[in-house]
């Protein structure tokens, strides 16, 4: 377990466990509202006890005694970074294509995330061979083409960013909501560039719509939602020439980022 995560790991031993099938039955949330926060690792313990009391039936995902899991995501985009550009320009309808690998179990899924006019995220998933996680095989291309209208059926999509992190998942059974806590985020591009979020946690609440008890607790403590997409922030941190006004504050505060003098179109 890495150093940053070790500061919070003991917190999750206090919670009752919940299995993955139970998580999916209680709070699968393929259509959902997401709220993301960036916290210092040392902020979480103080908030956690209050959050557990506020949520009531707060459980932690446990698989074979593990409560923290290594994730790897590979993001695909066009040569012109269409998915990134749509997000950077605040397009109401946008998409994201990635493989997500669960490195501890060797499982993998291809995911297509789309955002609609009401800012709701819809995620479609396909079980996927982990050996193909860095490419779109014929089944993967067909899956993407059925969900996103792209030139050439998406055949120009290529991997442009890989992220790794350690995740724990909490579930509020009473409200059918989830909270994920990601530590030790590393973003890497195919050229070997790397950017990280050392000493911070990315906390994300996922619900069917209304703010959760944890959201309200964070707000009362002056912690507001942050603009952070692992894909977009990671790509912008590695290429300061990309348009990144939407994530300017996050990049400056957490990634020691400065924009390039000139930017892409």
């Amino acid at each position: 377990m890495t150093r940053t995560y070790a500061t919070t790991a003991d917190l999750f031993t206090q919670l009752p466990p919940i299995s993955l099938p139970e998580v999916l039955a209680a709070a699968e949330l393929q259509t959902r509202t997401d709220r993301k926060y960036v916290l210092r690792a040392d902020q979480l313990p103080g908030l956690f006890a209050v959050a557990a009391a506020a949520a009531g039936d707060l459980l932690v995902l446990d698989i074979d005694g593990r409560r923290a899991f290594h994730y790897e995501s590979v993001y695909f985009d066009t040569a012109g970074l269409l998915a990134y550009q749509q997000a950077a320009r605040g397009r109401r309808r946008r998409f994201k294509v990635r493989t997500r690998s669960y490195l501890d179990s060797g499982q993998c899924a291809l995911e297509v995330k789309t955002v609609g006019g009401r800012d709701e995220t819809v995620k479609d998933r396909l079980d996927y061979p982990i050996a193909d996680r860095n490419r779109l095989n014929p089944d993967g291309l067909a899956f993407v083409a059925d969900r996103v209208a792209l030139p050439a059926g998406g055949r120009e999509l290529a991997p442009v960013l890989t992220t790794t992190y350690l995740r724990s998942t909490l579930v509020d059974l009473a409200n059918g909501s989830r909270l994920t806590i990601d530590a030790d985020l590393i973003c890497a591009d195919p050229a070997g560039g790397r950017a990280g979020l050392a000493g911070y946690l990315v906390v994300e609440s996922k619900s069917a719509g209304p703010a959760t008890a944890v959201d309200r607790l964070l707000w009362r403590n002056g912690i507001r939602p942050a603009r952070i997409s692992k894909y977009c922030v990671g790509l912008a941190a590695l290429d300061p020439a990309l348009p990144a006004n939407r994530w300017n504050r996050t990049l400056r505060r957490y990634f020691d980022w400065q924009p390039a003098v000139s930017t892409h179109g």
Side-chain angles (χ1 to χ4, degrees):
M1 201 170 279
T2 55
R3 182 173 164 185
T4 299
Y5 193 80
T7 64
T8 62
D10 288 346
L11 296 174
F12 306 122
T13 65
Q14 303 169 18
L15 291 178
I18 185 170
S19 69
L20 183 58
E22 290 172 317
V23 170
L24 297 179
E28 187 172 11
L29 297 174
Q30 296 300 82
T31 301
R32 69 198 190 203
T33 299
D34 300 337
R35 298 175 183 87
K36 299 179 183 179
Y37 308 86
V38 180
L39 279 68
R40 295 191 317 274
D42 62 7
Q43 286 181 288
L44 193 62
L47 292 168
F48 180 81
V50 182
D57 298 322
L58 201 60
L59 309 177
V60 61
L61 174 63
D62 184 300
I63 301 176
D64 297 328
R66 279 185 173 272
R67 298 190 171 194
F69 306 92
H70 293 89
Y71 279 51
E72 178 190 88
S73 296
V74 180
Y75 294 88
F76 296 79
D77 212 335
T78 66
L81 300 179
L82 178 61
Y84 178 90
Q85 297 287 353
Q86 286 181 341
R89 288 169 169 76
R91 297 288 187 263
R92 295 185 69 184
R93 298 189 181 277
R94 53 194 185 272
F95 75 96
K96 190 179 294 177
V97 176
R98 72 184 178 201
T99 58
R100 169 162 284 177
S101 298
Y102 305 88
L103 300 180
D104 299 300
S105 66
Q107 295 179 310
C108 182
L110 174 63
E111 298 182 344
V112 178
K113 296 177 73 173
T114 53
V115 179
R118 296 185 178 181
D119 212 30
E120 284 187 338
T121 300
V122 177
K123 181 170 69 174
D124 293 309
R125 291 167 54 92
L126 173 71
D127 288 339
Y128 205 67
I130 195 167
D132 287 344
R133 67 186 185 273
N134 290 299
R135 74 182 190 98
L136 294 177
N137 64 26
D139 289 341
L141 281 171
F143 183 76
V144 173
D146 282 346
R147 289 156 179 80
V148 185
L150 290 169
R155 285 189 294 276
E156 70 168 307
L157 290 171
V160 296
L161 189 77
T162 299
T163 63
T164 57
Y165 48 94
L166 200 61
R167 167 170 288 188
S168 288
T169 298
L170 310 183
V171 179
D172 179 354
L173 284 178
N175 296 301
S177 62
R178 275 190 285 156
L179 189 74
T180 58
I181 300 165
D182 298 340
D184 304 305
L185 172 65
I186 297 291
C187 306
D189 63 25
R194 289 168 63 89
L197 198 57
Y200 289 92
L201 304 170
V202 178
V203 176
E204 184 171 356
S205 74
K206 309 166 194 283
S207 69
T212 68
V214 174
D215 287 311
R216 292 190 290 271
L217 170 66
L218 292 170
W219 299 347
R220 286 197 301 272
N221 283 272
I223 301 169
R224 307 301 297 180
R227 286 191 182 274
I228 181 166
S229 151
K230 292 185 181 73
Y231 172 55
C232 294
V233 169
L235 212 57
L238 291 166
D239 184 357
L242 287 170
N245 285 344
R246 288 176 64 82
W247 308 287
N248 191 296
R249 179 177 296 180
T250 298
L251 286 161
R252 289 179 185 273
R253 181 173 296 177
Y254 304 113
F255 288 88
D256 194 26
W257 171 91
Q258 293 292 329
V261 175
S262 61
T263 61
H264 297 312

